[in-house]
Amino acid sequence: MSEFKNVTVIDHPLVQHKLALLRDKNTGTKDFRNLLSELSALMAYEVTRDLPLDEIRIETPIAATTAKMLINCKVAVVPILRAGLGMTDGIMNLIPTAKMGHIGLFRDPETLNPVTYYCKLPADIEDREVIIVDPMLATGGSACEAIRKIKETGCRSVRLMNLVSVPEGIKAVQEAHPDVHIYVAAIDDHLNEHGYIVPGLGDAGDRIFGTM
Ligand code: PRP
Ligand code: URA
């Protein structure tokens, strides 16, 4: 947990080590993408910790026994485009039966308000445990809008997975969506005058796709 209610800071040494490499301005696009993918898989363990299991009967080569599996629990992973795409491989490799939705949002550079340009969600998303993924939680505008769009479908089980956050963004999400649990690897210091996280890692989309 953290000083914030409903926020889990994933402080596992492997997560923190890889995050430090990711933050470094000398880390190039290829390594940045690989690290982000690895971090997403590591974080997925914590984000999915409370998924409900079903008991089943199986036979091992030695004896019949009761075992636990994710049978009735259906997951949807929803990246916020573009940067969220960099976090999907890691989590989809762990939960290959998950469905994926996509929400396209960018921040207006002047107002920092989110502008939606795309939204395609699984038809049965209201029956799924939804995990929204985006490396950055800055003002929180993009996350709040993505959560709103998903709740509009009737879905009531949403969790948010970000790599780097700031208190401003966490508070914005908590105020608008107090039921949504937030998982992060770091809570940084503040936002600068351009809405960038300090110290952060720069523009996540640009670093993933090499568009800087
Ligand atoms: C980044 C990031 C988040 C958003 C966070 O996306 O990936 O979606 O900013 O900022 P916020 O919390 O203030 O809304 P960006 O708008 O740069 O778009 P991109 O991923 O297409 O580059
Ligand atoms: N979006 C980013 O990509 N980086 C930030 O620091 C803030 C928003």
Side-chain angles (χ1 to χ4, degrees), residues 5 13 91 94 131 152 186 202:
K5 197 169 158 275
I91 189 164
L94 290 182
I131 305 171
E152 218 172 46

Side-chain angles (χ1 to χ4, degrees), residues 80-84 105-108 112 114 117 134-143 169 191 195-196 203-206:
I80 299 179
L81 309 182
R82 294 177 295 170
L105 290 172
F106 66 86
R107 294 199 307 178
D108 181 295
L112 299 184
Y117 59 88
D134 189 332
M136 310 307 278
L137 180 62
T139 65
S142 304
L191 290 175
Y196 278 89
D203 187 304
D206 282 349

Side-chain angles (χ1 to χ4, degrees), residues 196-209:
Y196 278 89
I197 295 176
V198 182
L201 49 74
D203 187 304
D206 282 349
R207 293 196 67 187
I208 294 167
F209 296 107

Side-chain angles (χ1 to χ4, degrees), residues 35-167:
L35 284 162
L36 185 58
S37 180
E38 288 172 354
L39 275 160
S40 312
L42 291 169
M43 290 180 73
Y45 276 101
E46 195 58 41
V47 175
T48 55
R49 180 181 284 281
D50 64 343
L51 290 184
L53 286 161
D54 299 290
E55 286 208 342
I56 55 150
R57 292 291 294 170
I58 57 163
E59 284 188 32
T60 76
I62 309 296
T65 187
T66 301
K68 293 177 182 173
M69 285 185 80
L70 292 163
I71 291 176
N72 291 311
C73 171
K74 296 190 290 181
V75 172
V77 176
V78 181
I80 299 179
L81 309 182
R82 294 177 295 170
L85 284 175
M87 297 181 85
T88 54
D89 276 7
I91 189 164
M92 291 299 286
N93 285 342
L94 290 182
I95 319 172
T97 56
K99 291 207 172 155
M100 256 178 86
H102 295 85
I103 296 181
L105 290 172
F106 66 86
R107 294 199 307 178
D108 181 295
E110 299 297 322
T111 65
L112 299 184
N113 290 329
V115 181
T116 307
Y117 59 88
Y118 188 75
C119 182
K120 185 78 181 171
L121 301 170
D124 61 350
I125 193 159
E126 72 270 26
D127 302 328
R128 291 182 175 264
E129 303 280 343
V130 174
I131 305 171
I132 299 176
V133 297
D134 189 332
M136 310 307 278
L137 180 62
T139 65
S142 304
C144 285
E145 180 56 16
I147 296 166
R148 193 190 66 74
K149 282 207 155 311
I150 288 167
K151 285 187 174 174
E152 218 172 46
T153 67
C155 178
R156 286 292 163 264
S157 181
V158 182
R159 50 195 88 191
L160 177 64
M161 171 168 145
N162 303 113
L163 200 55
V164 181
S165 65
V166 275

Side-chain angles (χ1 to χ4, degrees), residues 4-20:
F4 295 99
K5 197 169 158 275
N6 273 355
V7 178
T8 300
V9 179
I10 303 172
D11 57 1
H12 191 285
L14 289 175
V15 170
Q16 295 304 315
H17 177 87
K18 288 176 192 293
L19 176 59

